[in-house]
Structure formats: C-alpha cells, structure tokens
Amino acid sequence: MNETRTDIENRVFLISGGTSGVGKAIATGLARLGAKIVIISRSAERGQAALKDISEATGNHRGDWVAADLSLQSSIREVSDVFKRKYDQLHVLINACGAVYFKKELTADGIDRMFAVNVLSHYLLTNRLLDILQESGPARVITVSGNPRFLKNPVINFDDIQMEHQYSTMRATNQSLFARTLFAFELAKRLEGTGVTSNAFYPGFVKSNLARNAPWYLRVAAPLVNACVKAECGVGVYLASAKEIERTNGVFFDDKKQIVPIHTKFDDGAGNKLWTLCEGLTSY
Ligand SMILES: NC(=O)c1ccc[n+]([C@@H]2O[C@H](COP(=O)([O-])OP(=O)(O)OC[C@H]3O[C@@H](n4cnc5c(N)ncnc54)[C@H](OP(=O)(O)O)[C@@H]3O)[C@@H](O)[C@H]2O)c1
C-alpha cells in the first residue's frame, strides 16, 4: 500500500538534480502526490523554471528551491546549513544529481569533476543532513544508479579513483557509477537501526540533459533520444514514498521496482575503503 496523501503532504523531500532529468521527474511525481518538495539548483533561473514546470504540471505550488553548486564542497556545506535553518524536518533525501564530462576537469577543490559531482557530492550532502534525517525518522536516502546489466562486475580502481592516469569518459563514468552505488550500500550498513534507510535504483530511460557537455554530434542526437523516452520515474517516486518499503535497506531496485542483488557483487571491505577515501577528500 502506498503512503496516504495526508502522510505525503506532511513529509519534506529534498532532491539534488531536481532541475532536470531523473531528479525533476521524481520531484514532479512526488509533487503530484501532494508532497512538499525542495530542489537543489546551482542557478536561480533553472531552479525557478523547474518549480514553475512542476507546479503547472501538478497543481502543487508548495515547491521550494535552495542554491548549491554540488561540485564544490563549500557550497554543499552551505546548502545543508541553509536547508536546516529553513526546515526542521527532512524525511527523504533523493541523490539524483549527476553529470558526464568528456575531458578531464578539476573542481576548485582540486578534485576530478566527474568524481566530485557523481560521488563526493552525494557523500558530503548526505552526511551533512544525517542529523536532520535521523531526527525526522523514519526517513530515507535514495541514490540514482545505472542499468543493472552494467553493474555485474563493479570493479573500482581505488589506486586511481579520480582517473588521474589516462582519463577515459567511459571508464570515469562507469567508475563513478560503481562508487555511487557502493556508497548507497555502505551508507545502509552504517545506518542500521537508526530509522533511516539507504537504497540505490536504476531509473530506466528518462528524458535527460546529460549530453550538455558532450561533443556536438552527441548533442545533436540528444533531442531525438529524449523524444523516445519517458519524463517520469515511477521507481524513484515509489522508493521515496511507498509505505511497504519503509524498512527496506541496502538494496538495489531496477526500473520495474524489483530488487536486483547487486549489493553482493562488491568486494568485502570495498564500501569501507570508499568511505575512508571520501572522508579524506572532504575532511568529513
Ligand atoms: N536519464 C536517464 O535515463 C538515466 C538512466 C540511468 C542513470 N542516470 C543517472 O542519473 C544521473 C542524472 O542523470 P539525468 O539524466 O537526470 O541528467 P540531467 O538531465 O543532466 O540532470 C542532472 C541534474 O544534476 C544537476 N547538476 C549537475 N551538476 C551539478 C552541479 N555541479 N551542481 C548542482 N547540480 C548539478 C543538474 O543541474 P543543472 O540543471 O544546473 O544542470 C541537473 O539538475 C546521472 O548520473 C546519470 O548517469 C540517468
């Protein structure tokens, strides 16, 4: 059984990446159920435009946005403080922000941009919000991942996790996808018994702006691909809101809302290794 409408109306959902793609699709689905949604946007213009689209599509005008560039640790620290000053509860954090960079770039913190946006942002934002999530429990963290078919052999090269040698967009994308999924599982272990759960999910094909940094020939093809795929993310809305999975922790859901045993594919101790690495890179 799903949450009742009244339950959802009283719950606060914070969505990273809520201006586009998977995050916006989930924000829209939750708004349609009457939820209080707050999206993170790095630009006022895009944040406000996304909220306008969502309220026009759903009739839910309670949406809000907070500002952050999630590639920058100072900005993540600031947005978590701003959120906690504005809201005294957070029931669901949706880690849906992500990007693909087609050449090696470093952030102002000196971190590989792909790793910073796709992995560290989720690590730092989630950890900065764990206190308010625990106070608001039962609460959830859900983290977007990739197609389970490509997660069958999730090898992470901890000696070169930021692809400092021989950067390849494909390998950096895969590695950040594996690391983000492993982050969700390790978080789940650390949250056992706290009233907060962590799960990962594959959204299926959802309309996306991921090609924005791509070479021109991929950017040209993007509208054609987007014309063929959905603007909804049913599994994301389900994971964020369904009552029957309130206690489900540390697993991976595919786009059909089925659990796929990907958590068994990672080496023992890999999650702890990733955590220690993220701790070192963020001092958090
Ligand atoms: N779409 C799919 O079919 C699909 C399928 C499987 C997995 N995924 C994964 O889901 C993730 C999101 O994909 P998507 O399709 O939703 O991409 P998208 O349409 O490009 O949306 C990405 C979102 O992340 C935000 N973002 C990126 N960099 C940011 C930064 N530095 N600071 C703050 N926000 C930032 C974007 O904000 P702006 O609006 O400011 O750019 C946007 O809201 C990716 O990691 C992708 O691999 C997507």
Side-chain angles (χ1 to χ4, degrees):
M1 202 178 69
N2 281 349
E3 294 268 35
T4 65
R5 194 177 166 84
T6 318
D7 285 335
I8 291 225
E9 281 172 355
N10 292 331
R11 305 198 116 218
V12 181
F13 299 75
L14 178 63
I15 303 128
S16 78
T19 55
S20 174
V22 176
K24 188 176 178 188
I26 298 174
T28 306
L30 290 168
R32 195 166 278 125
L33 296 175
K36 169 74 188 178
I37 55 149
V38 182
I39 64 177
I40 299 179
S41 175
R42 56 186 151 170
S43 104
E45 196 187 347
R46 285 184 60 72
Q48 282 156 3
L51 284 183
K52 184 167 177 282
D53 289 346
I54 292 169
S55 67
E56 281 174 6
T58 65
N60 179 336
H61 308 295
R62 299 168 66 217
D64 189 10
W65 75 280
V66 284
D69 179 341
L70 296 171
S71 68
L72 299 177
Q73 296 179 19
S74 55
S75 190
I76 297 172
R77 288 170 204 273
E78 194 180 328
V79 78
S80 50
D81 290 344
V82 166
F83 180 86
K84 285 189 265 192
R85 278 200 297 275
K86 245 179 144 177
Y87 294 96
D88 53 15
Q89 289 199 299
L90 174 60
H91 300 97
V92 184
L93 170 63
I94 296 154
N95 288 322
C97 153
V100 177
Y101 298 98
F102 288 76
K103 57 183 180 14
K104 175 87 178 162
E105 288 179 31
L106 295 184
T107 66
D109 299 321
I111 311 272
D112 173 67
R113 194 174 290 283
M114 184 99 91
F115 188 73
V117 172
N118 289 350
V119 185
L120 275 189
S121 78
H122 303 307
Y123 170 87
L124 187 56
L125 183 68
T126 304
N127 276 292
R128 294 278 302 184
L129 293 169
L130 275 186
D131 50 0
I132 186 170
L133 282 160
Q134 286 182 22
E135 283 158 23
S136 315
R140 310 171 189 200
V141 180
I142 68 169
T143 301
V144 71
S145 180
N147 190 321
R149 274 191 294 164
F150 302 117
L151 289 163
K152 281 186 180 147
N153 185 23
V155 178
I156 298 175
N157 179 2
F158 283 102
D159 294 330
D160 192 18
I161 205 161
Q162 295 190 55
M163 290 270 153
E164 279 164 34
H165 307 292
Q166 289 195 320
Y167 185 85
S168 130
T169 304
M170 184 66 89
R171 281 193 297 125
T173 306
N174 284 344
Q175 182 140 284
S176 71
L177 209 56
F178 296 157
R180 188 165 56 191
T181 312
L182 182 58
F183 154 75
F185 297 149
E186 180 64 19
L187 178 67
K189 278 191 200 157
R190 291 169 186 255
L191 289 174
E192 286 282 346
T194 62
V196 185
T197 61
S198 164
N199 294 296
F201 68 100
Y202 169 54
F205 285 111
V206 178
K207 281 188 199 306
S208 173
N209 201 13
L210 267 187
R212 73 167 81 68
N213 304 314
W216 68 268
Y217 48 89
L218 291 178
R219 286 203 309 274
V220 168
L224 303 173
V225 176
N226 276 336
C228 305
V229 298
K230 58 191 173 134
E232 283 108 43
C233 183
V235 63
V237 174
Y238 172 76
L239 282 191
S241 64
K243 185 83 179 161
E244 73 256 24
I245 50 165
E246 189 170 85
R247 289 171 193 277
T248 305
N249 190 29
V251 293
F252 183 102
F253 286 81
D254 69 11
D255 53 329
K256 308 280 186 301
K257 305 176 190 164
Q258 298 299 311
I259 292 177
V260 186
I262 282 170
H263 51 290
T264 60
K265 303 277 180 193
F266 289 92
D267 291 343
D268 280 350
N272 196 37
K273 212 166 174 178
L274 177 68
W275 206 266
T276 307
L277 194 144
C278 292
E279 252 170 12
L281 289 171
T282 58
S283 308
Y284 199 83

